[in-house]
Structure formats: C-alpha cells, structure tokens
Amino acid sequence: MSSTDARTDAGATPAAARTDAVTDDIADTGPDGDADERTGSDPDAGTDVADTLDLRLPDELIDLIAEQGGTGGQADGSAGQGTGVSFPGYEHAADRARAHVPGGTSTALADDDLLDNIGAWGPVTTRSGVFQLVPVRIERDLSLISRWMNDPAVAAFWELEGPESVTENHLRPQLDGDGRSVPCLGVLDGTPMSYWEIYRADLDPLARHYPARPHDTGVHLLIGGVADRGRGLGTGLLTAVADLVLDHRPPCARVVAEPDLRNTPSVSAFLSAGFRFSAEVDLPDKRAALMIRDRTLRALL
C-alpha cells in the first residue's frame, strides 16, 4: 500500500464506533491512489491567497526541548504507550534542528526540496506539551510504527497490519522518492506518540478530485498510543502541525485533509483546528470530507 493509500480515521473503530480515536485523538486523513501516480493542480481553484510572516522559534523553546530530549519513552508492544525507556535517536533532534531554524546556524535548503526541510522546522509548544515532527528513519522507527499499524483499531483503516515488512513497504516509497511525501513521528515531550505524513497534495492523486492549487500541503495522522486517545490531543496537534506548515512553507496557501465523511468526530476535530469543510469528494475507497485550512484564516487566529 502506497503513501497515498492510508485510510482515514486510523486509530478508531469502524463505522459508528469510530469516535474513540478520531475527534481529539484523531487517526488519519489519507488520500487515495498509487504513490507513483501524480497530477498537477487545477488553475481554476477559487481560494484567496494571503501571506503571513514566518514565526521565529524562540531560543528558550529550543533549549527546553534539548533539555527534555533524553526523557522519551519507547512504546509498548501493543499500543505504543510510553514506558519511560530511552528512545534512541530523539535525544538530539532539537540540536539538529537548531542548525536550521531562524536565528541558528542556517543551512541552505535544496532548491528541489518539495516540503521545505521538515526536519528543520523544530519544536513548538502546544497545550499538551512541546511537540516536534521528526522525519522517520527505518532503522530507528520501523518496529514502533509497525506495532501501531497492528493495533486493530488502526489496522481497520490503514490496512497495514502484518509483519514489519508491510509497514516498511509503505514507508520506503516515501523515503526513497522525490520528497513529495515525508513520513514523520510526532514527538511530544520527548516521547514518540503519533505518526504523520506531510505531503504535497497538488502533486498527489488527490489533486484529481478537487481544484488543487500549487503547493497545497496535505496531512495524514494517527495517534499511536491507546493512552493518548480520548485526551483532546488531536485538535491541538492538528492546529500545531497546520501552523508549522504555513509558517515554514511560504508558497503554501492551504493545508488540506480528507477524512471519511461518515466520521463526524474526525470532521469536527478538523473544524476545531481551524479547517473549513469545503466539499464532499468521491475517492476510490471512501466518500470524504475535503477539509481546508486557509492561510488567510491563519492570520486571523
């Protein structure tokens, strides 16, 4: 299954019982189609575009996340709950980010970086703690992500249950591709607790199903740990990630998602995070609610 086949609402139970993992503990908002089938954008889209100033990450936040980096916990074998065990590789994520964030020792971005160096976006403070997107590394993260994918509530929608090779086959095309989709772990207060895919919606098969605009950026997500579901995390983290995209991707005017239309709690979570309902779209595997977070709205929040 390709990076664009991820099912909406992973982390919830099917049909009417989906509310447990998707409103404020969300699951996924993945588009459909094959990862190697891409289309361009529709010039007839009608959303206004406005610019906002990029936000400078305060040095105090960088120092804070650096201090907390060694306290992360590895997920348990069933549901990804933190155990307090050291999670190698995350201790120095903030130090690596420091070399790229404004005010640090800047490293020039490649001209062909389709998502503007997500690994350098750095941490942000949310109501739930200090949060950071950390790009996936197979050797470090495969076991954890595979365990999450084998949670029955997640597997019902992502359809990636099975041996680690199934998850690896989902991650490899993204990691070995041209950078139009970047899989990330969401690390909260030093503990990896969610899985995200940040992708160029205008270069994705999703663009066949709505009037895409250049640099539209999409998000998929799931909350990995059962203990992290139902705590109100989803809306806050969605807000933080949408803000990160708009702050660090000046050409991007909109962040998009497409939860299953039947999943009212998921749609509500996006609405609470500043997304607006744009349209119903028929995707190969679902009828979806196209949700859009506009840069113009970002300036007003």
Side-chain angles (χ1 to χ4, degrees):
M1 180 170 155
S2 73
S3 65
T4 56
D5 287 328
R7 299 298 186 266
T8 304
D9 316 318
T13 52
R18 290 177 185 158
T19 60
D20 190 32
V22 288
T23 164
D24 274 334
D25 52 17
I26 289 259
D28 169 61
T29 56
D32 62 301
D34 295 327
D36 57 353
E37 289 182 358
R38 308 295 175 181
T39 61
S41 60
D42 187 332
D44 297 326
T47 302
D48 292 337
V49 178
D51 291 328
T52 59
L53 294 176
D54 287 344
L55 300 181
R56 184 187 185 281
L57 184 67
D59 292 335
E60 307 91 84
L61 279 186
I62 300 174
D63 293 336
L64 177 62
I65 191 68
E67 291 172 4
Q68 295 179 339
T71 63
Q74 187 166 2
D76 68 21
S78 60
Q81 296 172 232
T83 63
V85 179
S86 175
F87 200 95
Y90 297 101
E91 302 92 321
H92 306 296
D95 293 333
R96 291 194 297 273
R98 184 193 295 275
H100 301 278
V101 297
T105 304
S106 178
T107 299
L109 303 183
D111 291 338
D112 59 352
D113 187 337
L114 297 178
L115 283 163
D116 298 294
N117 200 2
I118 291 174
W121 288 2
V124 293
T125 297
T126 73
R127 66 189 184 190
S128 302
V130 179
F131 178 80
Q132 183 169 2
L133 289 173
V134 177
V136 164
R137 290 186 0 218
I138 289 286
E139 65 276 12
R140 181 191 62 197
D141 305 325
L142 178 60
S143 178
L144 174 63
I145 298 172
S146 180
R147 285 198 293 273
W148 288 344
M149 294 299 182
N150 277 281
D151 181 326
V154 174
F157 298 96
W158 283 74
E159 299 181 359
L160 290 174
E161 68 273 27
E164 290 185 0
S165 59
V166 175
T167 299
E168 182 173 2
N169 289 339
H170 176 77
L171 295 171
R172 284 288 184 192
Q174 299 177 77
L175 297 173
D176 296 340
D178 62 3
R180 67 186 63 195
S181 181
V182 177
C184 298
L185 287 185
V187 179
L188 185 65
D189 287 337
T191 299
M193 46 71 65
S194 54
Y195 172 73
W196 299 73
E197 290 171 354
I198 312 299
Y199 68 98
R200 284 286 297 272
D202 61 323
L203 304 179
D204 190 86
L206 176 64
R208 294 195 299 260
H209 303 279
Y210 83 105
R213 304 191 72 173
H215 294 281
D216 276 359
T217 303
V219 296
H220 312 152
L221 71 142
L222 66 85
I223 301 298
V226 171
D228 289 323
R229 300 173 191 166
R231 294 175 46 201
L233 290 176
T235 292
L237 296 185
L238 274 172
T239 301
V241 169
D243 287 349
L244 280 168
V245 170
L246 295 174
D247 291 340
H248 291 275
R249 301 206 65 237
C252 173
R254 308 185 299 181
V255 182
V256 304
E258 69 299 352
D260 193 305
L261 186 65
R262 299 168 298 172
N263 194 333
T264 302
S266 181
V267 174
S268 297
F270 280 97
L271 291 171
S272 297
F275 288 74
R276 62 181 171 84
F277 175 79
S278 176
E280 296 181 12
V281 292
D282 287 313
L283 303 180
D285 296 316
K286 65 186 179 186
R287 187 164 180 79
L290 180 67
M291 308 300 297
I292 296 178
R293 172 81 179 272
D294 296 290
R295 180 176 289 278
T296 49
L297 177 61
R298 167 76 175 102
L300 299 175
L301 293 178

